Amino acid sequence: MALKATIFKAQVQISDLNRHYYEGHALTLARHPSETDARLMVRLLAFCLYADERLVFTKGISTDDEPDLWQHSLSGEIERWIELGQPDERRLRQACGRAREVIVINYGGRSSDIWWDQNRDGLKRLRNLRVLDLDSDTVQSLSELAGRNMELQCTLDGGQMWLGNADSTVEISPTVRQEIGSN
């Protein structure tokens, strides 16, 4: 018998001082049986970073032709494609051909450094690709916020981000490995 996804609910209040975006979101996240709390929370973090009424979680791990999150325009074009982890260069080239903007959020510690070193030259040619990296300590702290029913507050200001609940807050400073149009 196949294991079923575990459902997580999150009420998130987002204050993005960079974009002047101030909204509350009631999110439902399905955690695949092979997904960790850390990856689930990185998905939630990705949503907070790029929050928009049209940004949605996809089937993620269980599909090969969809990212972890994406945003479509009102006419159906893919505006934003967000991948987590260490996708292969071929997948990212295809995504860059399909979407206006592609974002990778790495969170694997030393393995992220190795992935970047091996793929940097090929990825630098992709002008609509942005690559962010989260350090291992941050990801561990994020995983400690995970719960089946979460009430979270998120604040973004400059290159800093804070995500927390009533008991604790995690300060997040993603490292930008590649910016869109910087190649």
Side-chain angles (χ1 to χ4, degrees):
M1 177 182 233
L3 296 174
K4 293 185 178 186
T6 303
I7 303 301
F8 287 72
K9 301 274 187 179
Q11 294 287 333
V12 184
Q13 295 298 319
I14 300 173
S15 298
D16 187 336
L17 304 174
N18 304 318
R19 297 185 297 146
H20 304 290
Y21 180 89
Y22 309 97
E23 292 292 331
H25 292 272
L27 304 172
T28 300
L29 295 94
R31 187 182 72 195
H32 190 273
S34 67
E35 187 175 31
T36 63
D37 283 347
R39 188 175 194 288
L40 175 88
M41 293 306 291
V42 172
R43 276 198 296 139
L44 181 60
L45 174 82
F47 182 90
C48 293
L49 276 169
Y50 298 98
D52 186 275
E53 65 184 23
R54 292 187 320 269
L55 182 64
V56 296
F57 296 101
T58 65
K59 295 176 185 168
I61 289 176
S62 61
T63 61
D64 289 334
D65 60 340
E66 294 180 356
D68 293 286
L69 296 95
W70 60 9
Q71 178 179 327
H72 288 83
S73 68
L74 294 174
S75 57
E77 291 91 13
I78 302 170
E79 292 179 332
R80 183 170 286 140
W81 177 292
I82 302 174
E83 293 273 348
L84 304 182
Q86 301 157 12
D88 65 51
E89 182 185 342
R90 180 176 171 266
R91 179 175 173 82
L92 291 175
R93 275 195 318 270
Q94 290 173 342
C96 285
R98 293 179 63 190
R100 186 174 55 87
E101 175 184 40
V102 177
I103 297 139
V104 174
I105 300 177
N106 262 305
Y107 63 95
R110 179 69 184 128
S111 64
S112 290
D113 294 336
I114 294 168
W115 174 85
W116 178 247
D117 290 342
Q118 292 173 344
N119 293 283
R120 172 186 1 220
D121 293 339
L123 297 180
K124 289 283 185 188
R125 293 189 292 259
L126 304 175
R127 301 202 46 84
N128 58 335
L129 175 68
R130 181 175 204 213
V131 180
L132 302 176
D133 188 67
L134 301 173
D135 66 71
S136 297
D137 292 339
T138 297
V139 174
Q140 176 59 40
S141 296
L142 283 173
S143 70
E144 293 168 8
L145 294 176
R148 295 286 300 274
N149 292 295
M150 298 176 273
E151 290 191 25
L152 302 168
Q153 302 79 38
C154 177
T155 303
L156 295 95
D157 188 13
Q160 300 291 111
M161 180 176 185
W162 297 266
L163 183 65
N165 57 26
D167 299 320
S168 65
T169 299
V170 178
E171 183 175 349
I172 303 140
S173 301
T175 301
V176 178
R177 292 192 189 256
Q178 178 171 315
E179 191 58 78
I180 291 176
S182 66
N183 357 13

